[in-house]
């Protein structure tokens, strides 16, 4: 069992930045773990944004590439999502999530079936 707790959400003006944090535990029980960020706006499908795995591979959705950055602390107890140049369509609930395995080209498209999920943190981008 991987447990994840998100924090850092809030309200920000367009063009602003937020840094989301996710404390996680239990991933050491697995040889290969994917850790990532997924968002869901009201009435929309969940959208995988970014992920990293135990091999250090990182993948981004095209919609956020160059503006969002995923990272992990040195102790490997937390991951982060730095979000820059935010626009109103980024308003959503942001989830930290994990799965067993390694990143492939489909991992973000299949993020809605990842095994472990946090409860989410709300991000609102408005003037």
């Amino acid at each position: 069992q991987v447990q994840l707790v998100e924090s850092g959400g809030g309200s920000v003006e367009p063009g602003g930045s937020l840094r989301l944090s996710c404390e996680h535990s239990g991933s050491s029980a697995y040889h290969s773990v994917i850790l990532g960020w997924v968002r869901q706006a009201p009435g929309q499908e969940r959208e995988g944004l970014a992920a990293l795995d135990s091999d250090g591979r990182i993948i981004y959705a095209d919609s956020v590439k160059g503006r969002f950055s995923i990272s992990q602390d040195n102790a490997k107890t937390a991951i982060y999502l730095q979000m820059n140049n935010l626009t109103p369509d980024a308003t959503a609930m942001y989830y930290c999530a994990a799965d067993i395995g390694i990143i492939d080209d489909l991992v973000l498209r299949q993020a809605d079936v990842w095994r472990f999920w946090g409860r989410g943190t709300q991000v609102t981008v408005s003037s």
Side-chain angles (χ1 to χ4, degrees):
Q1 176 78 15
V2 178
Q3 298 184 107
L4 311 105
V5 180
E6 306 94 334
S7 62
S11 182
V12 64
E13 294 184 354
S17 298
L18 283 174
R19 184 175 185 251
L20 306 182
S21 299
C22 172
E23 297 181 357
H24 62 91
S25 61
S27 62
S28 62
Y30 306 98
H31 181 257
S32 300
V33 175
I34 300 163
L35 296 163
W37 293 93
V38 183
R39 70 184 176 191
Q40 186 173 27
Q44 302 295 313
E45 298 293 324
R46 289 189 174 186
E47 179 186 15
L49 303 176
L52 53 81
D53 68 17
S54 300
D55 293 331
R57 182 169 180 171
I58 295 175
I59 187 170
Y60 294 99
D62 289 342
S63 62
V64 304
K65 193 176 299 181
R67 298 187 299 113
F68 289 14
S69 179
I70 190 170
S71 61
Q72 188 173 61
D73 69 345
N74 290 334
K76 297 185 177 181
T77 57
I79 64 167
Y80 307 93
L81 186 69
Q82 179 68 44
M83 305 187 293
N84 297 324
N85 195 23
L86 287 165
T87 57
D89 61 1
T91 296
M93 184 70 72
Y94 284 70
Y95 298 92
C96 181
D99 199 18
I100 301 168
I102 62 173
I103 285 174
D104 61 24
D105 291 341
L106 299 177
V107 66
L108 295 179
R109 294 184 181 181
Q110 298 174 334
D112 57 342
V113 297
W114 290 354
R115 291 171 173 82
F116 311 108
W117 292 80
R119 290 185 291 181
T121 185
Q122 178 68 38
V123 172
T124 301
V125 184
S126 63
S127 300

